[in-house]
Each structure stands twice: as C-alpha cells, then as structure tokens.
Amino acid sequence: MTDHTSSLEYKHMQFRPLHQDLALKKISTSLSLCGLLVLAACGGGGGGSSSTTPTTPTTPVIPPVTSLTITGVAATSAPLVAANIKVVDAKGAAVSLVDANGGSIPYGTTNTADGSYRLNLSSSGITMPLLIQAAGRDVTGNSVILYSMLQATTSPTIANITPLSTAVVAEILGANPRSVFNNAASNASSIALLSNATMLAAASTHIKTIVAANLTDAKITNTKTLDFFQDATFVTNKTLLDVALEGLTVRIAKDSNGNDQLQISNKFAIPGLPDVTVDLATAKTELAKTTGTTLANAVKSTAKTTVVTSPLATASTMDNLTIALNKAIAQGSAASAFSGYIATAAMPAPGSSGTGTYTYNGRSAAALTAKLAGYAANNYQLSKLQIMGCADTPSTPLKACVYFQVGATVSDNSGKTVDLFYDTVTYNKTSTSWTFSGNGRNTSTEVYPLAYASYGMDGSLTSGSTNPSVGVEIAIVGESPPGTKSMDGAIVQLLSGYSVPFAYCGGTYLCASSSPSVPASATGELKDFLLQQPALGWIGSKDGQAGAKYVISTTAANASATQNLSVYLPASVPSDYVTSQFPALDGVSASNPVVPAALIAGTNLNWANWAAANPDSHVFMLRFIISSDGAAPIVSDFSVPNDLSTTTTLAATTIPDGYVPSSYQLLIGAQDNLGRRFFTTYKSAP
C-alpha cells in the first residue's frame, strides 16, 4: 500500500477471493411425497360427498432423485465473494458436498466476480428442507453471515442468499439462524418449519411490508411475485432487488433481556439505530397460528416501515465507474490518466459549504491517482463498488445525500485480494457519470464497542472482578502514509459531557493523553485507545449505546488545520458476550502454554477452532508486546491473512542488547458482524 487513507483500509485486508465452480455430480436419494408437498395431506385430496367411504391412501412410488444441484447468488448488495457455503437438512445433519472431481468437500465457495455459487449435494439420505449458510467478508473486511433455504427438490433448486432471505428465515426459526445452524441437530424441529409454505409466504410478505418504501424506490412494481429465494434473474447490478439491498442494513442482535431481535434500518441514517425491530420469538409464535396470524405483534419499534432510499435512483450506473477504471488499469495507464475520474466539485470539508478540494481522510488527489497507477502497474482489478452509506452521515433529509461512501476489493490476476479500496463518489447529472469526490476529512476516525479478556500464557483467565471487561475503542489515524506524522492531536467529546484528549504517539493511531498538544507515550496495549471505567473519560450509559454520537475535533500536523468530525457507535457495548467469542489460539493449555521464546524467534499461530465456532467474526489484529521497566516497549504488529485462513507465521522479533524484558503480551483482536470488537491478551512475566 502506498498510502494510508482510512483505518479500515489499513486494518482490514483480511480475505482472498477463491473461485470454486462445483460441477454437477449425480446422486441418489429417496424422498417421500410428504417431504415435497407441504400443504397437502399425504395420499389425500380431491372433492366429493361426505358420505364417500374412506379408503386407505396408497403411498405413491417416487423415483429416486438422480441429481440435486443448488445454485444461486450470495450478496449483501455487492457480491459476497469467496464466501464459504454450508448446508444442513431438516434432521440437523450436515449435508455433504462434492467438487468437480467428485471429491468430498466441507463447503462450497461463491464466485469471486458476482457472488454466484453452485453446490452439488452428495448425501443419499437428505431430508428436506435445507438450511443454507454463507459466511464471508464484505468490502469493509467485516464478517458477513447470511442464510437461505430450499424447501424441496423440485425445480427450480435455486436459493439466493441475501440479508432479506436471512430476515425471512429468522422469522420462521424464531431465533438467530446462526445459533440454529450451529446446533442444528437439537434444532431440527425448527429447521423443519422451513418447509411450511404458509409460514414462508407470511414471513416474506411481512418483510416486504417493512421494506415497502425501499422496494418502491427500487422500481419493483409487483412485490407479490417478488421471490427472495428462487428468483433466477437476481443479479448484483444495482437495479431492482439489488439496489433495494444497497440501501438497507439487516442484522440480528440481542436486546437487553437476551432475546433475538431482527433489526432493519436504512443505510443512510444514523448507524446502529434500527428503523424496525422484530422480536423473533414472537414472530415464530404468530407464524405458527392456524388463524389470526398478526406479525405486527412482533414489531417492537415505533416505526413500521423503513425510510425511503430515493438517493439510489441513479445507482444503476455506478458500476460504470468500476468498468472504466478497470479498463484503464488493464491498459497500464499512468497516474495522469486517472485524474479525469476525480470530481471537479469535490465534497467540502466538514463544516464548510459549497464545494472543496479533493481530500479523502487526508489523501490528496495526487495520492489517489498514484494509488490507481500502482494498481495499473501490477495489473490489479477492482470489484464492483459497494455503497456503505452517506459520506455526511446521517443524511438529513435523506434525499440530500449526494456523496456516497463506497468500497471495493482489489485483486491480482490470480484472484487474490491484495487491497481494500475506499472513497466517496458523487453523481454528475450533466455527464450522467460517477466520479470520486473524497469526503473532505483530514483523517480517518472510527469508534468501536469492545470487550476484552486477559489470560495467562497457559490460557487460564486472569483473576479479577473486571476480567473480562468492556469499553469503547477510539481509532484516530495519526500517520498518513504509515510512518509519516499527519495529525498532532484530537479532542473526543462524549454524549455524557466528558472530553478526552488524544495525541500523536509515534504510531499509526493517536493515543489517549493528558493533553492533545503533549506527545503521548504508546504502550501498545489497549489502554492507548480504550475508554473505560475507571480511566479518564469513563463512558456513560448513553455513550455505550448503538448510535451514540462522538464528536472528534482533529488537528492536522500541516498548518494545524482543525476539523470537527462526527462518528457513531455501530452497536452497543457488548453485554451478552461469552468467553468463546474472545479469539483464542488452538491448543493453549497448562501443558501447552504460549512460549515467549517461541514468539521472539518467530512461530506459527493457529486459531481454526475459534474461527469455526465464530463464523460471524474474524481476526484482524496480531500484536506482540515486550515491556521493560527501564525502556520503551517493543511493539511488533504482524499481518493477518487476507483470506479466510486461520493461521499465520510470526516473523522474529529483535531485542536490542541490554534490553531487559519485564513482561510479554500477545494481543489478538477480532471483530464480529455487528462491528463489535473482542480482544484477547495472553500475558506473562519472563
């Protein structure tokens, strides 16, 4: 990377697209008519007089299924590339899959270009319906986990996997599909409900009602025929259903009582605050009623429908920007060739009016064209742009949103993701084209809810009344590009009224300090950027709630330019966490502890078991800290795999002559699909 444009761009190069086209392989299975015809009684049917003598129904002979292939598209709005797809059946049994050569594989993989997939099911004893899970990463590097279903083996065997298919499945299951999928055998009765066509129709209609304004804005004229699951025409081209998805955020979180809630909100409003909240247990109860089903009883929010997403009216042409860039990149163009893709009317700096000079989180126009020229020199390509929200969040009124935050993955010619690209785009009505406008900000600022746990090198939880504990991470980029100081300091103002100073501390991010003008001393530990009790600036109850607004006044190192930047907490500070959510290395125990000498020399780290148990989370940070009582700490950050790999090899750490270590720490950071972060520290004295 030639420059540093945002904390996301710097920290979340986490996944590599893998294309695996699963070819059709014939299989055999026997399914009873009851498994195929949900609404009809087996053997029954037809009219007639009540005096007709009952006859014993004859079970029809169903020829064995000679093949079963499932196809579809997995998408959040942009394609969900390189996602792992797994399947369980109505008995809660994992369904085996085979690859093009007939070999058994644990999961299928979505296409790196458009999110399409093809699964060949090899099990002979499959019981319909099927619950399907797709787990991957979006363009921000965040974990994404989506669900779909297939009721029967009758054509079409299509199962599109999107946030809206996930919402329908969640209402039928009455719980977070992830918990059902992870414990499929014990939830078989719930999975079997997916075959109930009446429940499917009612849940689909309810979700369509909630997002009715979005569907109208997407120019879907007949929502009755809209099929979230088996629409063979669904593609990720920012039209119809796909553009509706571009404007929506759909997630599942627990309320204060631990109940699973479906939350649907508009992507252009305040992050973390849902427009509509549905209690999933209540939804399942209503769907199970034979008469008087009232899904409105499950809606726990004041709003009944989401706000409109009319700013997306011209989104269908946004992919033309990617096409033009990729063409120029493929031609090996120089930096000057990319200047025409930068808006002449750039987004103004926060607090300013009119138009401004292009700046994106401190990145200049020259740095942007140099970055794109670097892609051209290496023959890289950009994925389709994913809309992440309004650059000036929130947009008030919504129709005023004219600058859109976007992201894309950058891949080499082997399909490996080598970078994540972020910027802001705007639509030019005169030229009917999209260009990069920047966001006018002098640096990147992010806030994250977090929980952290401290362990000994043997994996035992360190004793203490506040372990694990929670807080809020403040991530203010202080260097751009890395190694070059770009910010002097910042003041973070909380809703509770506290103001907390941050200052440059010689690293990528600013550190909490006694004064923004006094250089801080970085320790490498969480306390550098963590707001928590009883530290200065303790977050109050409102400060830790989803949607909490943080106003960050930043002072740039060049000309001391100051900006007031508003950022919002994407989710509430974790209160329902369990120890299994904290990232953990495989096999750490009293008999197999983490060995500091091995970390110093360079060793292999593996967290596959944790990753398998937490498909909605990913490791984004690995840091080794060596502290000394008489000297500054030695802090070594190690790269995390760009793909879904769960292992990495640490490089050796050099300890200067005369340096006397007093403790060793291995810090591991993970982030879930709600934007919450979980940190684990393995710590020991020498």
Side-chain angles (χ1 to χ4, degrees), residues 502-681:
F502 279 71
Y504 180 69
C505 52
T508 302
Y509 297 95
L510 302 184
C511 298
S513 174
S514 59
S515 170
S517 60
V518 177
S521 298
T523 66
E525 300 177 29
L526 294 178
K527 61 185 179 181
D528 287 346
F529 50 79
L530 176 64
L531 300 185
Q532 60 158 4
Q533 191 178 23
L536 176 65
W538 160 238
I539 55 174
S541 58
K542 291 184 178 180
D543 301 320
Q545 296 300 309
K549 181 179 180 179
Y550 288 71
V551 178
I552 303 179
S553 300
T554 61
T555 302
N558 54 345
S560 298
T562 300
Q563 290 184 350
N564 291 327
L565 309 177
S566 297
V567 290
Y568 300 83
L569 202 64
S572 296
V573 169
S575 60
D576 58 335
Y577 59 82
V578 293
T579 55
S580 61
Q581 289 177 279
F582 295 96
L585 298 179
D586 288 355
V588 174
S589 65
S591 59
N592 185 38
V594 177
V595 180
L599 297 176
I600 295 170
T603 188
N604 185 66
L605 299 182
N606 189 308
W607 56 93
N609 292 337
W610 173 85
N614 296 274
D616 58 349
S617 301
H618 69 280
V619 170
F620 71 90
M621 176 183 181
L622 288 170
R623 174 176 291 176
F624 182 37
I625 306 168
I626 304 175
S627 300
S628 174
D629 292 334
I634 300 172
V635 180
S636 301
D637 284 317
F638 300 100
S639 61
V640 179
N642 294 330
D643 54 16
L644 298 178
S645 298
T646 57
T647 184
T648 192
T649 300
L650 303 188
T653 298
T654 300
I655 300 179
D657 293 339
Y659 190 92
V660 181
S662 59
S663 67
Y664 303 97
Q665 297 181 60
L666 179 64
L667 180 63
I668 308 175
Q671 183 169 314
D672 71 6
N673 61 340
L674 299 179
R676 304 180 303 175
R677 293 188 162 183
F678 295 86
F679 288 89
T680 292
T681 299

Side-chain angles (χ1 to χ4, degrees), residues 107-128:
Y107 51 79
T109 308
T110 56
N111 188 287
T112 58
D114 59 8
S116 62
Y117 73 92
R118 182 183 183 91
L119 299 180
N120 178 36
L121 280 60
S122 65
S123 296
S124 60
I126 300 172
T127 302
M128 305 300 285

Side-chain angles (χ1 to χ4, degrees), residues 276-351:
V276 180
T277 300
V278 179
D279 183 78
L280 291 177
T282 304
K284 181 180 181 181
T285 299
E286 291 294 334
L287 289 170
K289 293 180 179 179
T290 55
T291 59
T293 298
T294 308
L295 279 168
N297 293 337
V299 177
K300 302 302 180 183
S301 55
T302 302
K304 300 300 181 183
T305 58
T306 58
V307 292
V308 297
T309 55
S310 53
L312 293 173
T314 54
S316 61
T317 60
M318 189 180 294
D319 288 338
N320 292 338
L321 176 57
T322 307
I323 293 171
L325 287 171
N326 282 338
K327 182 178 179 180
I329 289 171
Q331 293 172 342
S333 301
S336 58
F338 295 99
S339 59
Y341 300 107
I342 299 177
T344 55
M347 183 175 177

Side-chain angles (χ1 to χ4, degrees), residues 31 45 51 54 85 170 202 204 222 224 273 310-311 352 419 484 488 506 538 561 563 573 578 612 614 628 632 654 671:
L31 295 172
S51 61
I85 303 181
S204 295
N222 188 355
K224 291 183 179 180
L273 294 183
S310 53
S352 303
D419 199 1
T484 301
D488 276 335
W538 160 238
Q563 290 184 350
V573 169
V578 293
N614 296 274
S628 174
T654 300
Q671 183 169 314

Side-chain angles (χ1 to χ4, degrees), residues 140-452:
T140 69
N142 284 333
S143 297
V144 175
I145 187 164
L146 302 173
Y147 293 88
S148 188
M149 48 154 285
L150 184 67
Q151 286 191 322
T153 57
T154 51
S155 182
T157 53
I158 298 172
N160 293 323
I161 314 172
T162 70
L164 292 180
S165 70
T166 302
V168 173
V169 168
E171 286 203 343
I172 297 174
L173 296 177
N176 190 333
R178 179 200 165 210
S179 60
V180 173
F181 193 95
N182 283 0
N183 300 282
S186 59
N187 287 288
S189 59
S190 292
I191 297 173
L193 294 175
L194 297 174
S195 67
N196 189 311
T198 301
M199 295 179 73
L200 174 61
S204 295
T205 298
H206 186 229
I207 297 302
K208 292 176 187 178
T209 300
I210 291 174
V211 300
N214 305 78
L215 300 179
T216 299
D217 288 338
K219 295 180 171 52
I220 298 175
T221 57
N222 188 355
T223 58
K224 291 183 179 180
T225 61
L226 176 62
D227 191 335
F228 293 144
F229 298 89
Q230 295 191 298
D231 181 3
T233 67
F234 174 64
V235 290
T236 53
N237 62 354
K238 294 183 175 64
T239 64
L240 301 174
L241 180 59
D242 186 57
V243 79
L245 292 172
E246 286 279 5
L248 289 169
T249 297
V250 179
R251 64 183 195 175
I252 299 172
K254 292 186 180 297
D255 65 10
S256 58
N257 295 317
N259 301 315
D260 287 337
Q261 309 284 298
L262 172 66
Q263 299 178 345
I264 302 178
S265 57
N266 192 280
K267 192 179 288 185
F268 308 117
I270 296 176
L273 294 183
D275 294 313
V276 180
T277 300
V278 179
D279 183 78
L280 291 177
T282 304
K284 181 180 181 181
T285 299
E286 291 294 334
L287 289 170
K289 293 180 179 179
T290 55
T291 59
T293 298
T294 308
L295 279 168
N297 293 337
V299 177
K300 302 302 180 183
S301 55
T302 302
K304 300 300 181 183
T305 58
T306 58
V307 292
V308 297
T309 55
S310 53
L312 293 173
T314 54
S316 61
T317 60
M318 189 180 294
D319 288 338
N320 292 338
L321 176 57
T322 307
I323 293 171
L325 287 171
N326 282 338
K327 182 178 179 180
I329 289 171
Q331 293 172 342
S333 301
S336 58
F338 295 99
S339 59
Y341 300 107
I342 299 177
T344 55
M347 183 175 177
S352 303
S353 58
T355 58
T357 302
Y358 173 91
T359 301
Y360 180 77
N361 289 347
R363 179 175 65 194
S364 66
L368 172 59
T369 56
K371 173 181 276 292
L372 295 173
Y375 293 163
N378 290 283
N379 195 26
Y380 295 160
Q381 291 281 278
L382 276 72
S383 69
K384 291 184 177 181
L385 296 174
Q386 178 178 323
I387 297 174
M388 299 158 58
C390 278
D392 193 10
T393 304
S395 171
T396 306
L398 186 64
K399 293 183 179 181
C401 181
V402 293
Y403 298 101
F404 295 85
Q405 299 178 74
V406 295
T409 59
V410 183
S411 304
D412 62 17
N413 55 14
S414 70
K416 176 184 177 181
T417 295
V418 294
D419 199 1
L420 297 179
F421 176 82
Y422 301 102
D423 211 304
T424 301
V425 298
T426 190
Y427 182 72
N428 187 314
K429 294 181 180 179
T430 302
S431 63
T432 64
S433 62
W434 292 85
T435 50
F436 296 119
S437 65
N439 60 6
R441 298 188 172 211
N442 59 12
T443 191
S444 170
T445 55
E446 304 285 347
V447 292
Y448 301 96
L450 67 79
Y452 63 94

